[in-house]
Amino acid sequence: MVIVMTPEATSDNIDSIVDLVATAGGEAYVTRGVSRTIIGLVGDVQQFETLDLNALPGVADVLRISAPYKLVSRENHVSRSVVSVAGVPIGGDHMTLIAGPCAVETPEQTLAAALMAKAAGASLLRGGAYKPRTSPYAFQGLGETGLKILSDVRAETGLPIVTEVVDAADVELVASYADMLQIGTRNMQNFALLQAAGEAGRPVMLKRGMSSTIEEWLMAAEYIAQRGNLDIVLCERGIRTFEKATRNTLDISAVPVAQRLSHLPVIVDPSHSGGKRDLVLPLSRAAIAVGADGIIVDVHPEPETALCDGPQALVGADLDELARVVATLPAMLGRTLA
Ligand code: E4P
Ligand code: PEP
């Protein structure tokens, strides 16, 4: 931590900061410039944060040098992590395709979507049994019935399941079926849910809040990690901007930024960001090219009848093209399709 003093700061102001830091168990190193003095602090940053340094006389600014998140930070964990989901790797030299229906609707629809996903090269099946919907009148998901359908489809296809949990009270139940828990954009800062997911004994995919900064996203991941679970995958799924042509704006730069700041794998959801079928393939290519560790894509056998997000679901020739993209593009970047 570095304290920048105002040009008017007196020697007394500086000395009292040095004393205060010493009482907090730290050390303060004073560097006197021509017009400004800066004080470098060494010690426990959390302890310094209780001192209200910004409010002291003569202080212009207090700058944090180390990241406020620790367990998910790359500062303390230089090599990038690989998260295993029932044996399927996400991260490292792999590029993982997760695909499936937005919502589990029927056994037939889920199986058909899973087979489409598998044919396209997916090694993990997505599908929501608990749907976080804007409208209370919209389809909310089948709940445990949906989890059972996913479990049957896993048995039939061999694809491990990624599914969303929206309530801390449901974590144990969802974890008893799921291979990976998904925490959606709307719940990124549901701290009780994050903590419960951290204790569930399953890898967690944490989507970025639609109006969250990358730092807030990493702090949310820290909640999961703090409960003893470091098997976390970050998912960029588009953020709210002024642009209305897309459902959300895919923040493609968030991928390398998050990968630089955190050791956790980072994947992209081109379906929920673009919100339109014709954007999914271009955004998938962009995600793979920028170095995403995976993509999660909505597919549906009959998108026009889908109970949730039909307009963004891939079907038919688009899936053939997805298969071609994941079979060729990762290899050009030194990655293998997981
Ligand atoms: C799907 O996965 C989400 O539940 C969906 O995108 C929510 O959006 P909506 O309820 O606004 O349609
Ligand atoms: C989803 O993937 O099913 C979902 C609800 O996505 P998001 O949280 O990104 O809106």
Side-chain angles (χ1 to χ4, degrees):
M1 204 174 242
V2 172
I3 301 176
V4 182
M5 304 300 288
T6 60
E8 300 76 33
T10 64
S11 296
D12 280 353
N13 294 154
I14 294 167
D15 290 346
S16 53
I17 289 175
V18 172
D19 291 346
L20 189 64
V21 169
T23 58
E27 289 167 63
Y29 295 90
V30 180
T31 307
R32 289 171 206 275
V34 179
S35 60
R36 294 230 181 193
T37 294
I38 60 168
I39 308 176
L41 307 194
V42 177
D44 181 355
V45 177
Q46 264 151 15
Q47 187 69 20
F48 298 150
E49 272 174 351
T50 64
L51 300 178
D52 206 7
L53 295 165
N54 264 309
L56 296 177
V59 172
D61 209 354
V62 178
L63 310 171
R64 253 196 108 114
I65 306 292
S66 57
Y69 39 85
K70 301 289 166 211
L71 301 168
V72 305
S73 167
R74 231 176 143 172
E75 277 171 16
N76 309 318
H77 195 299
V78 179
S79 62
R80 310 222 47 247
S81 293
V82 179
V83 171
S84 169
V85 182
V88 175
I90 306 181
D93 293 336
H94 309 279
M95 205 302 294
T96 309
L97 173 62
I98 307 169
C102 185
V104 175
E105 298 166 16
T106 64
E108 297 74 22
Q109 166 258 7
T110 307
L111 179 60
L115 293 172
M116 289 160 68
K118 196 168 179 176
S123 49
L124 295 171
L125 172 66
R126 65 145 292 145
Y130 295 84
K131 295 306 298 175
R133 301 306 301 270
T134 305
S135 164
Y137 305 112
F139 177 60
Q140 306 283 313
L142 298 177
E144 189 171 2
T145 305
L147 296 175
K148 287 186 177 140
I149 293 174
L150 283 169
S151 172
D152 291 346
V153 171
R154 170 177 52 199
E156 188 142 354
T157 61
L159 292 174
I161 303 163
V162 182
T163 195
E164 181 162 356
V165 56
V166 298
D167 190 323
D170 295 332
V171 166
E172 209 177 307
L173 175 74
V174 178
S176 70
Y177 291 92
D179 297 290
M180 176 180 234
L181 299 175
Q182 175 174 327
I183 295 186
T185 191
R186 294 160 182 80
N187 271 313
M188 190 206 84
Q189 285 190 318
N190 180 338
F191 302 116
L193 177 60
L194 297 171
Q195 288 172 330
E199 290 170 0
R202 288 279 181 274
V204 179
M205 183 212 298
L206 178 63
K207 289 192 153 194
R208 179 179 178 186
M210 60 184 87
S211 301
S212 298
T213 63
I214 293 172
E215 183 167 297
E216 288 163 342
W217 188 20
L218 296 177
M219 291 303 279
E222 189 79 4
Y223 267 89
I224 301 169
Q226 208 208 18
R227 292 295 164 126
N229 186 355
L230 268 172
D231 289 330
I232 307 164
V233 172
L234 301 167
C235 178
E236 160 61 39
R237 49 78 69 200
I239 52 174
R240 279 279 165 89
T241 66
F242 54 82
E243 183 52 68
K244 293 183 183 161
T246 47
R247 190 178 187 194
N248 294 283
T249 298
L250 176 60
D251 182 4
I252 199 77
S253 46
V255 176
V257 172
Q259 286 174 334
R260 177 170 49 77
L261 296 174
S262 171
H263 58 89
L264 302 176
V266 183
I267 67 169
V268 165
D269 181 340
S271 307
H272 286 80
S273 26
K276 292 178 187 147
R277 186 166 308 119
D278 62 343
L279 292 174
V280 175
L281 284 165
L283 297 182
S284 298
R285 289 190 202 100
I288 297 170
V290 85
D293 297 296
I295 52 175
I296 175 165
V297 178
D298 286 5
V299 307
H300 197 291
E302 291 172 14
E304 57 290 351
T305 66
L307 297 180
C308 188
D309 289 348
Q312 69 194 31
L314 293 191
V315 65
D318 284 336
L319 271 163
D320 299 337
E321 177 57 10
L322 178 68
R324 201 190 63 76
V325 167
V326 299
T328 54
L329 198 48
M332 291 167 69
L333 298 157
R335 287 184 185 253
T336 341
L337 184 63

